[in-house]
Amino acid sequence: MNVRERFLLAMTEFRARVSPPKWEFGYWGENVENWYAEGLPRRRYPRLPRGISTPTSSLYLPCWKSIHTGRLSSGLAVIGGGLYWPTQGFPIDNDVRTQLGMDLGQVLVNVNLLFHPMFEVTVIEETAETMTYIDIDGVKRLFLKKTGVIPSALENPIRDWATWNRLKEERLNLKDIKGRFPRSWPRLLERYRDRDFPLVLGGYPQGYFGTLAHLMGYEHLFYNYTDDPKLIHDIQKTFTDVWLAVYAEVLSQTSVDMFVFWEDISAGSGSMVSPAMIREFMVPYYKRMTGFLKEHGVKVIFVDTDGECTDLIPLFLDGGVTGMYPMEASCGVDIVNVRRLFPKLQLMGGIPKSELPKGRARIDEVLGPAEAVLETGGYVPFGDHLIPPEVHWNEFRYYREKLNGMIDRRGL
């Protein structure tokens, strides 16, 4: 079976004797550069995308390009298969995958889910240390070139009813849905239809917390839950209308295997939003979206959120979600307990990345919970976010070969 077939059998039928895909969420650029120096053969170096396509694939690309010197910056993510690609201008790994016998990763449908027309990239000020610019999503950002991590927002496009109504009228109407598809759509569609990899719809930055935090800023969002709930509901309804129109067009032309809501709603110790607010401002829109997806045959519907998210699982299940990832054990998520509480929750991730530098005995120990959950099916094990630079190539190779063996022993 190919990776798509194994993924669907493992996820939708909880076949414990089917080997799930061998993926990693991803790696920091510093890791990959270190690993090349430590013995990873360099054959297909991770490359940045050539140009801007849609917000789905190209957000932040202008800042990555501003420091591109032929070497991966330390704060740039390199995708390892468990995180869908293309997204956020990140390059994709090939050399780690090839060297360790891992699988082709998830591919994200590249379509514009934010503003159409997109904003023009405008560089306001650039020095050797920083770049201040407006990205294609209309967010004014500050990029620190030395650290090279995702830039911070200085000004968001949604600030009040006036800015929202202008965006809604000019860039979030239903007049030109097909204009949200990239020029390369015919070629992409051929690849999507004739695929041996899982095809994903949604993704960053589409979600019912994530999108609002992205376009309003966290502080404004938190205040407006109480101060102006009508604004929040209007934003949620408008985006839902646009997304459903886009997804209907996509699904009229190709099937998909998985849907992902990007939320990042949890921090290290729990949710940033109360259960009551999730029920009021998110769950109704989740139900509308997941109902549509299930009517169109989508059986794998994930929420992507970092942090300790265990208490949120019942709320997402009520909204029609079927799975969660990356299940950050590093923040206290216990995947064995999650499986006990939610026997049919689809899971990915769950291996504490922060423990991998602590030696082979500790790696053996932290793989125990993953092996136990593999026995239940419905699980793709990998590190619970980007593998940190402290993990050397020999440690990572030991961990990954051990995990690959556990997966291979599943059977098919």
Side-chain angles (χ1 to χ4, degrees), residues 174-220:
L174 303 179
K175 296 176 183 177
D176 184 25
I177 294 302
K178 291 187 177 180
R180 291 175 166 274
F181 289 69
R183 288 193 297 270
S184 60
W185 182 251
R187 176 174 53 82
L188 290 174
L189 193 57
E190 289 183 12
R191 187 180 182 220
Y192 296 160
R193 288 172 173 167
D194 184 25
R195 64 185 185 270
D196 56 0
F197 50 80
L199 185 63
V200 181
L201 198 56
Y204 186 95
Q206 188 262 297
Y208 288 114
F209 173 78
T211 298
L212 276 69
H214 185 86
L215 297 176
M216 297 181 75
Y218 289 91
E219 184 176 353
H220 284 99

Side-chain angles (χ1 to χ4, degrees), residues 145-198:
K145 295 182 178 181
K146 183 176 181 180
T147 56
V149 297
I150 285 177
S152 56
L154 297 175
E155 185 175 295
N156 297 92
I158 303 176
R159 297 182 293 279
D160 49 29
W161 272 103
T163 52
W164 167 242
N165 282 329
R166 190 178 310 117
L167 289 166
K168 185 166 60 168
E169 179 181 353
E170 297 175 356
R171 301 177 189 265
L172 284 170
N173 57 66
L174 303 179
K175 296 176 183 177
D176 184 25
I177 294 302
K178 291 187 177 180
R180 291 175 166 274
F181 289 69
R183 288 193 297 270
S184 60
W185 182 251
R187 176 174 53 82
L188 290 174
L189 193 57
E190 289 183 12
R191 187 180 182 220
Y192 296 160
R193 288 172 173 167
D194 184 25
R195 64 185 185 270
D196 56 0
F197 50 80

Side-chain angles (χ1 to χ4, degrees), residues 343-406:
K344 292 302 179 181
L345 180 70
Q346 298 155 347
L347 298 171
M348 296 194 293
I351 297 171
K353 59 191 177 299
S354 56
E355 298 300 301
L356 301 183
K358 296 181 179 180
R360 295 188 174 192
R362 182 59 179 151
I363 290 171
D364 293 345
E365 186 177 355
V366 300
L367 285 176
E371 187 164 28
V373 179
L374 273 171
E375 289 291 338
T376 70
Y379 175 48
V380 181
F382 49 75
D384 58 3
H385 209 276
L386 300 169
I387 302 298
E390 294 79 13
V391 181
H392 293 285
W393 174 241
N394 283 339
E395 294 166 336
F396 181 77
R397 185 173 59 186
Y398 175 81
Y399 145 74
R400 195 61 238 190
E401 288 175 347
K402 187 104 175 181
L403 180 56
N404 287 354
M406 289 164 44

